[in-house]
Amino acid sequence: MSNEMKVRFWGVRGSHPTPGAGTVKFGGNTASVEVQAGNRTIILDAGTGIIPLGRELARTKQAGEILLLLSHMHHDHTQGFPFFVPAYMPNAKLHIFGPDGTHESMKNVLERNQSSETFPVGLRDMSSSKDIQAVRESQVIVWDETGVRVAESASGLGEEAVVIRIHKSYAHPGGVYIYRITWHGKSVVYATDTEGYVGTDKRLVKFAKDADVLIHDAQYLEEHYWGQLEGFPATQGFGHSTVMMACEVARASEAGQLVLFHHDPAYSDDMIAGMEATAKAQFGDSVAAYEGLEIVLREENMSVQLQSPASNGRDVQYAQNG
Ligand SMILES: [Zn+2]
Ligand SMILES: [Zn+2]
């Protein structure tokens, strides 16, 4: 098996999908990121980006075993699931892990999203086999040769095991899970829907320390956050970060690559390109996530490359050592 870990972005937008001419470059689908660890498929969140990803998995891998990690149950992180093709395939086995809500279990929320009042097909009527489990921050998710399981510790596991740690952040309404996926010494941290703190989020910095890739919420321009952008009310306390907050976490945790994520639905491609430039001035290895962005992690080096240049007209290709 190849030791290559690939991170592909299928949905990078926050709050709600944004089709239209002003968002074609970065894309309008809501949160969904694919991580391939060798031949294991891990998906972070089920926003509308999971819909094209599902078609691709059905076509290329006949679905098989898939681990879906939900950061929290807000719409923009779950609304693509009813249209996720592998969920309808009898030969697919889905492990769906995430947090329980404060009032309701994760499973109940997923069932309610597909109640007969709101969707024609119920969760139980989707043909795949589904293992739906709420996990706790103290637990680890392991995927090794024996399969996917929730464990109390990661001790004694070899490099072949994919190990996923959980950090519960309170910097978002209702809380959110931040995940750290580690395999063969490389790690990817997915920190969406989280707001920065004065002096930086120290718990998050510790959790994300030395990650090769840090995917961080960067929904707002500074002026927007503070209520100084015309037509945009202040958003402090909404549970999302500014570009500066994302850069602070990347710098303090010494991340290899920062990926700005969860773009505001009201922002045009030009605005996001400007935010990317701001980020690069603060933290050189920054990129604003766009649909089709692919990051390849190899043991000896890391490269960031565009998966399909035709899809959005961008041409980003560079590599780093170390
Ligand atoms: Zn969100
Ligand atoms: Zn949210």
Side-chain angles (χ1 to χ4, degrees):
M1 199 201 322
S2 151
N3 291 343
E4 208 169 77
M5 183 147 83
K6 278 186 190 166
V7 185
R8 289 195 194 113
F9 293 80
W10 294 83
V12 302
R13 191 69 56 169
S15 310
H16 61 78
T18 55
T23 58
V24 286
K25 204 162 137 188
F26 291 92
N29 279 305
T30 54
S32 194
V33 179
E34 172 194 12
V35 177
Q36 288 288 347
N39 57 8
R40 295 168 197 154
T41 303
I42 300 153
I43 302 173
L44 293 155
D45 279 333
T48 59
I50 204 172
I51 302 169
L53 167 57
R55 285 192 211 113
E56 178 78 1
L57 290 172
R59 192 178 64 81
T60 56
K61 297 190 71 183
Q62 285 77 50
E65 199 163 14
I66 293 167
L67 171 57
L68 170 59
L69 303 170
L70 298 173
S71 61
H72 61 317
M73 305 307 288
H74 287 167
H75 276 150
D76 51 330
H77 301 261
T78 56
Q79 67 198 155
F81 188 75
F83 301 96
F84 183 52
V85 174
Y88 293 89
M89 297 171 71
N91 63 339
K93 180 162 177 58
L94 310 185
H95 304 272
I96 306 173
F97 296 159
D100 270 336
T102 27
H103 303 296
E104 221 179 326
S105 74
M106 185 183 77
K107 194 171 179 197
N108 278 359
V109 179
L110 288 173
E111 277 171 354
R112 201 159 42 75
N113 282 352
Q114 290 178 239
S115 78
S116 59
E117 315 296 333
T118 59
F119 198 74
V121 185
L123 190 69
R124 266 173 292 188
D125 297 321
M126 298 169 111
S127 312
S128 58
S129 71
K130 286 176 281 306
D131 155 33
I132 303 174
Q133 285 190 49
V135 284
R136 293 193 307 275
E137 186 182 22
S138 59
Q139 295 177 310
V140 289
I141 301 161
V142 176
W143 193 346
D144 61 9
E145 56 284 346
T146 63
V148 176
R149 66 182 186 278
V150 178
E152 298 308 317
S153 97
S155 64
L157 294 167
E159 280 218 311
E160 260 315 305
V162 177
V163 175
I164 300 156
R165 290 188 173 77
I166 303 162
H167 166 72
K168 181 168 183 176
S169 166
Y170 299 92
H172 192 69
V176 64
Y177 275 6
I178 289 166
Y179 293 103
R180 181 177 182 127
I181 303 173
T182 304
W183 189 58
H184 280 283
K186 295 286 178 191
S187 53
V188 175
V189 171
Y190 179 70
T192 190
D193 294 63
T194 190
E195 182 168 348
Y197 292 124
V198 174
T200 319
D201 186 337
K202 303 290 185 202
R203 287 174 62 238
L204 175 56
V205 166
K206 191 169 172 222
F207 182 76
K209 190 73 186 154
D210 297 323
D212 296 282
V213 176
L214 170 65
I215 302 163
H216 197 292
D217 190 304
Q219 180 152 350
Y220 304 126
L221 287 161
E222 302 300 314
E223 311 88 278
H224 183 175
Y225 182 83
W226 298 109
Q228 293 154 355
L229 185 67
E230 198 165 344
F232 293 89
T235 59
Q236 189 179 34
F238 282 21
H240 297 287
S241 292
T242 65
V243 173
M244 290 303 189
M245 289 168 183
C247 289
E248 278 170 13
V249 174
R251 202 166 31 231
S253 62
E254 299 179 80
Q257 175 73 48
L258 169 64
V259 184
L260 308 176
F261 191 71
H262 205 277
H263 307 313
D264 192 279
Y267 287 8
S268 66
D269 286 332
D270 288 347
M271 288 168 88
I272 298 168
M275 292 163 86
E276 184 181 62
T278 304
K280 280 185 194 294
Q282 297 294 319
F283 187 80
D285 295 312
S286 298
V287 64
Y290 56 94
E291 290 177 22
L293 172 65
E294 178 175 292
I295 298 175
V296 183
L297 296 160
R298 296 190 188 88
E299 304 232 32
E300 65 284 2
N301 67 60
M302 187 173 86
S303 72
V304 179
Q305 61 194 59
L306 182 67
Q307 185 193 10
S308 52
S311 68
N312 60 9
R314 281 172 63 100
D315 186 18
V316 176
Q317 188 150 25
Y318 51 94
Q320 305 165 242
N321 293 318

